[in-house]
Amino acid sequence: MCFKCNSSSLSRRSLLKFAGIGGVAAMTAGFGMTMPAFASNAPALLPDEALAKLQEGNKKFVADAEACAANISKRRQDVAKSQAPWAIVLTCSDSRVVPELLFGGVTLGELFVARNAGNVVDIDVLGTIEYGTEHLHAPLIVVMGHKRCGAVSAACEVVSKGTKLDGSIGKMTQPILPVALAETDRGDNFVDKTVHANAFNGAERILTESAIVYRLVEEGKVKIVPAYYDLDTGVVDFLHKV
């Protein structure tokens, strides 16, 4: 599924919301354009080229994870003064999910990564993604959930068992609760199905809540793709057809 297709079916209320956001954007455009992007002059990839590069990298990781090494010292010098990331990855903070490794040893300056427990789309994530797309010109946004996600599991327990989560963890998982509530299968696959649905939901929210990303998707400059990482096999399943 490509989320560009969803743009034509946005509700009238969503479009009015974009109009409001656009007004704010117009008032702050001067400030935004003065932000130092530090983008390099490297040739940009098309969205599908960036996606294919991630897919090939994941195949390399699955085939021989130990081969995913890079000359970090030289690369650090190459990108010290500028960057041109070709993909943005929103994923979970889980210590077993390391995008730079599982996409084939991607090195410094290639991925623009945002992480939190449950790969939740919040204001910090949206701002990060907008900067990565508009100022650094990354053509691809991947929202990647993963197998046995603790944050999603916690949200599912709230829904199925009425568990109360203390502290900020409860607030953090709130955006996942509607996704879990929408799942009718509360059996053994409840958590896994919610992980998949949460990735789709995150991708949709980026499109509908960011006027900047919406415009770039409409112009064909950016693609948003939900994904699922299997901790056991190392395979990343991109949840749409290219």
Side-chain angles (χ1 to χ4, degrees):
M1 178 180 183
C2 174
F3 284 90
K4 185 180 188 302
C5 304
N6 283 0
S7 62
S8 60
S9 62
L10 289 174
S11 67
R12 183 172 181 273
R13 186 171 67 178
S14 296
L15 292 175
L16 288 174
K17 177 181 176 183
F18 281 132
I21 295 174
V24 175
M27 288 187 292
T28 58
F31 173 77
M33 291 305 292
T34 61
M35 293 177 64
F38 299 113
S40 77
N41 294 322
L45 296 176
L46 295 175
D48 286 342
E49 292 173 335
L51 181 57
K53 195 169 182 177
L54 288 184
Q55 291 171 321
E56 288 303 312
N58 182 239
K59 289 178 183 177
K60 176 183 174 184
F61 172 74
V62 173
D64 186 3
E66 293 185 4
C68 296
N71 187 343
I72 298 296
S73 179
K74 181 181 184 303
R75 181 64 179 171
R76 185 179 65 241
Q77 296 299 320
D78 292 341
V79 300
K81 291 185 169 65
S82 65
Q83 61 172 319
W86 46 266
I88 298 169
V89 180
L90 166 60
T91 192
C92 186
S93 294
D94 192 295
S95 61
R96 300 164 293 180
V97 182
V98 184
E100 291 82 357
L101 292 180
L102 61 91
F103 287 122
V106 175
T107 188
L108 301 175
E110 296 194 73
L111 297 185
F112 203 62
V113 180
R115 299 179 67 174
N116 59 42
N119 40 276
V120 172
V121 175
D122 57 20
I123 192 68
D124 295 333
V125 165
L126 279 177
T128 298
I129 290 172
E130 287 178 352
Y131 185 81
T133 53
E134 185 174 47
H135 294 277
L136 300 180
H137 312 298
L140 178 68
I141 303 167
V142 175
V143 182
M144 186 172 67
H146 69 93
K147 194 172 187 177
R148 292 189 289 273
C149 177
V152 173
S153 296
C156 288
E157 283 202 11
V158 172
V159 169
S160 62
K161 301 178 182 178
T163 303
K164 295 191 180 299
L165 303 176
D166 296 328
S168 297
I169 296 175
K171 296 178 182 178
M172 178 193 69
T173 56
Q174 283 180 0
I176 308 174
L177 296 181
V179 182
L181 281 167
E183 284 299 315
T184 57
D185 182 359
R186 303 289 171 83
D188 294 340
N189 294 324
F190 182 29
V191 172
D192 206 52
K193 286 186 175 181
T194 303
V195 169
H196 281 75
N198 189 49
F200 274 102
N201 181 66
E204 289 172 343
R205 286 188 58 200
I206 292 167
L207 180 65
T208 58
E209 296 181 21
S210 171
I212 291 173
V213 175
Y214 177 83
R215 171 177 55 79
L216 292 170
V217 170
E218 281 291 285
E219 293 172 356
K221 296 177 180 178
V222 171
K223 179 176 284 189
I224 309 174
V225 181
Y228 174 86
Y229 175 55
D230 190 319
L231 294 173
D232 298 319
T233 65
V235 173
V236 175
D237 182 15
F238 293 93
L239 305 176
H240 92 308
K241 294 181 180 179
V242 180

